[in-house]
Amino acid sequence: MDDFIAERRRQIAFDMLQHANLVFQCVLVATIVAIALAVLINRVKALEPVANAVSAVGLTLPSFALVGLLLPLSGLGTTTAFLCVVFYAVLPVLRNAVVGLAGVDQTLLESARGMGMGPVGVLLKVQIPLAWPVILAGVRTSMQMSMGIAAIAAYVLGPGLGAYIWTGLVQTGGANALNYAVVGTVGIVIVALVADLLLLALGRLTISKGVRVA
């Protein structure tokens, strides 16, 4: 194993960065989309059951099935991997964002409006900051889930560490089959842990002490 890693250390490091880059970009896009949808759902309450149903069904959809649906549209490569990861990444953030925005005290919203804040000001200065701890919890869940989903990207020639796992499976019984599988799996775990630590640090920086205590 040591020799295997030593011979490929630069490529492994590069693939870890590629895996992290894919997931971070997907989760960022997913968070923006999810918050926008949550704001709409918060305004139109009739959409909430629909959003919950879509989230529930989406999480039960096998990633291979989604890849199969996307392949005729976007083909092999990074685009299909990106779309697949974004789809799954949206769901936990959307669920938490809907709950977080709905949980903001209406008295605080009325006070903000009474101070002359418009709808955008209330959203950006009151609702999202107060809902942010709940939203960030969804982002953390989304990030961890996306690390695993991104491994499927190797099936469509996407970037990242999934290629090591697939190579190990294809070469089952071969000399380096186990090495490939272990490097891919452990590499994803390491990237996931680092990402979670970064999100914890982000929470410390972006969540006020008053909100954290509450």
Side-chain angles (χ1 to χ4, degrees):
M1 176 65 77
D2 292 341
D3 292 339
F4 179 86
I5 294 174
E7 291 171 3
R8 300 165 176 81
R9 61 183 182 277
R10 290 190 177 181
Q11 185 62 44
I12 292 170
F14 176 77
D15 289 331
M16 289 177 74
L17 287 174
Q18 287 288 298
H19 198 93
N21 184 50
L22 173 65
V23 173
F24 272 85
Q25 287 187 46
C26 290
V27 172
L28 177 61
V29 171
T31 300
I32 294 170
V33 171
I35 291 175
L37 290 173
V39 170
L40 176 62
I41 292 165
N42 189 249
R43 298 283 191 271
V44 185
K45 297 295 184 182
L47 293 176
E48 187 169 351
V50 177
N52 291 334
V54 170
S55 294
V57 172
L59 288 171
T60 62
L61 181 67
S63 53
F64 272 114
L66 181 59
V67 167
L69 293 172
L70 291 173
L71 272 175
L73 302 174
S74 50
L76 295 172
T78 304
T79 301
T80 298
F82 181 84
L83 292 174
C84 183
V85 177
V86 167
F87 174 83
Y88 287 103
V90 165
L91 304 176
V93 185
L94 176 60
R95 185 174 56 223
N96 279 40
V98 169
V99 171
L101 290 175
V104 176
D105 192 337
Q106 291 298 315
T107 304
L108 296 175
L109 300 181
E110 292 298 329
S111 298
R113 295 187 188 102
M115 294 171 61
M117 286 189 186
V120 176
V122 171
L123 175 66
L124 297 180
K125 295 182 180 180
V126 180
Q127 284 182 289
I128 290 181
L130 290 176
W132 180 239
V134 180
I135 296 172
L136 186 59
V139 174
R140 289 180 64 191
T141 301
S142 177
M143 183 72 76
Q144 299 305 306
M145 187 175 71
S146 297
M147 288 292 173
I149 298 295
I152 306 298
Y155 184 74
V156 291
L157 305 182
L161 292 163
Y164 290 88
I165 298 174
W166 285 107
T167 302
L169 292 174
V170 171
Q171 295 183 1
T172 299
N176 286 318
L178 182 60
N179 291 335
Y180 274 110
V182 170
V183 166
T185 303
V186 174
I188 290 172
V189 171
I190 292 172
V191 173
L193 289 173
V194 172
D196 197 52
L197 289 174
L198 291 174
L199 288 176
L200 283 172
L202 178 64
R204 289 286 180 182
L205 292 172
T206 59
I207 301 172
S208 66
K209 290 183 179 179
V211 175
R212 278 206 301 267
V213 170

